[in-house]
């Protein structure tokens, strides 16, 4: 990255690459003979053999380079507490292999322990699912695709079985995920006596931490996501089941935030991975326990999914009437297909909780790409946009949607990007930011990128892998930028879409190249196209990527 939001002043280079292995070694050096147990996002997403974008190669489980005694995947708070208690009671670290939500390596002569994890649906809990070996998935892309499908089929805590994967003469074992936290447990976790401040060692640095500035006045109300988007890592870490806090617990934290020195009356967010999945769940727990759908909403919402927004509306109303609160913003993304028909929620949102702009993530406009993403079609976005516009008008406010789109996603070529550009042109959107697809470990879309295969259908999927192809897709997403004129024209001509070049209302670019404004002129008018550094960032995007591809954050 060119900036690290988690470091003072956004400075880079203050932590090692792939830190789990580095920190594990430092722990062993400092505390010889003490078990080393790792967790966190990196450990979660690298718990099995996986594609590593930085090296453009398949890497083994992080357990091998880190030499961890045990790996905890998922959020892991209750797992950490159980581990601490059992170690304190004198149990050896090998005894912790009976826990859910952990992974470990068997020695060369060790057999698989006979731990009994309850499994729904009449499946044999003692029969593990063997994934293709690390060597197989490293050398065979079909094996990698099969591994991905098998892995994602065993992520529901209710029916997941243990996974094994040979790594040379050792065997990786991944136990089933931990069960979701109850509301009471989640409340207790969030109401521990946190300082809500960065670590004290950062005070000596002097500079503020951008990530902390973003969330210091926000309140998390839930975790997890049942969307199943193929490019997103949230489900792999937080799980598919929505875990929600109680109304009273959230309001107690809101009250705590209002007492923070420097609080100015504005809560920056009331949300989570998705702002409007609060309290949503399956109506039939017995069915949920045996369900293997990767998404509860794709290709269409499950009939058993409870999508009532009433508890969330009540929480929003209660939070904004708390003493000391002037405004409660909703900054987490909105799941549009769930909110489109919820008139009361849209009224509440548009009237009280939007500060002029609302982030949404339609991601694309091509039906084939959206299907590979497991995202709803554009009709869902249009219904939401129309409902939000009507609600904003009734509230007497001029408010806009800020849609996010992804370029270079697997299955997306020039034709699909032209389709997206036409979509944007017709609706008057001019994205200021371009989100390039970055393959994160274990995502389904990452499998498509690396193997060229959809693991669910085993059909071929093309991906833009060359830097030049990615630059063309970025240019098409910002077809309106003067500096992109030539690249867009060349792409349109190659695709046989010269009808989109000209002066007609439907055309993406004019027939003659526009004058690219100088940097001095950039302070004059349209900030989206002329802001200082805007063109420089577009030009240098490719060079930055050559130095090191950025790491995709969760969601």
């Amino acid at each position: 990255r060119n900036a690290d939001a988690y470091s003072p002043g956004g400075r880079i280079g203050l932590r090692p690459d792939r830190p789990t292995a580095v920190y594990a070694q430092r722990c062993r050096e400092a505390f010889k003979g003490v078990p080393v147990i790792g967790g966190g996002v990196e450990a979660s997403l690298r718990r099995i053999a996986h594609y590593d974008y930085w090296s453009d190669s398949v890497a083994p489980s992080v357990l091998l380079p880190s030499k961890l005694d045990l790996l905890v995947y998922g959020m892991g708070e209750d797992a950490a507490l159980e581990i601490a208690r059992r170690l304190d009671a004198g149990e050896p670290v090998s005894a912790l292999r009976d826990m859910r939500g952990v992974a470990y390596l068997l020695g060369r002569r060790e057999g698989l322990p006979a731990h009994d994890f309850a499994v729904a649906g009449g499946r044999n809990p003692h029969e593990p699912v063997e994934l293709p070996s690390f060597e197989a998935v490293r050398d065979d892309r079909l094996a990698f695709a099969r591994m991905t499908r098998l892995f994602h089929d065993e992520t529901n805590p209710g029916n997941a079985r243990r996974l094994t994967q040979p790594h040379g003469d050792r065997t990786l074992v991944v136990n089933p995920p931990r069960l979701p936290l109850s509301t009471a447990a989640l409340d207790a976790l969030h109401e521990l006596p946190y300082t809500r401040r960065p670590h004290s060692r950062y005070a000596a640095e002097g500079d503020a931490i951008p990530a902390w500035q973003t969330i210091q006045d926000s309140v998390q109300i839930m975790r997890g996501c049942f969307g199943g988007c193929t490019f997103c890592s949230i489900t792999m870490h937080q799980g598919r089941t929505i875990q929600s806090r109680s109304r009273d617990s959230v309001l107690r934290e809101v009250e705590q935030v209002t007492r923070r020195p420097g609080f100015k009356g504005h809560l920056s967010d009331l949300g989570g991975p998705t702002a409007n999945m609060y309290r949503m769940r399956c109506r039939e727990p017995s069915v949920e326990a045996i369900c293997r759908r990767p998404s509860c909403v794709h290709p269409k919402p499950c009939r058993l999914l409870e999508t009532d927004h009433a508890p969330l509306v009540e929480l929003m109303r209660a939070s904004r009437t708390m003493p000391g609160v002037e405004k409660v913003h909703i900054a987490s993304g909105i799941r549009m297909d769930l909110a489109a028909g919820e008139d009361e929620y849209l009224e509440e949102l548009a009237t009280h909780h939007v500060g002029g702009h609302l982030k949404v993530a339609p991601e694309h406009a091509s039906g084939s790409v959206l299907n590979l993403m497991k995202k709803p079609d554009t009709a869902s976005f249009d219904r939401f946009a129309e409902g939000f516009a009507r609600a904003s008008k009734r509230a007497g406010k001029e408010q806009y949607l800020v849609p996010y789109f992804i370029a270079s996603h697997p299955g997306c070529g020039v034709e699909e990007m032209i389709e997206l550009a036409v979509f944007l042109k017709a609706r008057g959107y001019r994205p200021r930011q371009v989100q390039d697809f970055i393959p994160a470990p274990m995502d389904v879309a990452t499998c498509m990128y690396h193997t060229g295969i959809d693991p669910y259908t085993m059909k071929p999927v093309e991906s833009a892998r060359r830097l030049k192809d990615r630059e063309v897709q970025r240019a098409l997403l910002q077809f309106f930028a003067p500096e992109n004129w030539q690249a867009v024209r060349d792409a349109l001509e190659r695709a046989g879409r010269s009808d989109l070049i000209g002066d007609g209302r439907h055309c993406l670019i004019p027939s003659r190249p526009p004058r690219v404004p100088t940097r001095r002129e950039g302070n004059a008018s349209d900030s989206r196209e002329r802001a200082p550094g805007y063109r420089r960032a577009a030009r240098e995007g490719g060079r930055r990527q050559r130095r090191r591809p950025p790491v995709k954050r969760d969601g």
Side-chain angles (χ1 to χ4, degrees), residues 204-248:
E205 302 284 347
D207 296 324
I209 301 173
W212 177 74
Q213 290 181 307
T214 300
I215 58 91
Q216 61 180 321
D217 294 328
S218 68
V219 175
Q220 183 180 5
I221 63 175
M222 47 76 68
R223 66 168 54 161
C225 181
F226 50 68
C229 300
T230 59
F231 55 84
C232 181
S233 304
I234 291 173
T235 302
M236 290 297 96
H237 186 62
Q238 293 196 2
R240 186 176 66 180
T241 303
I242 301 301
Q243 301 157 72
S244 301
R245 298 173 63 184
S246 68
R247 173 183 178 276
D248 291 343

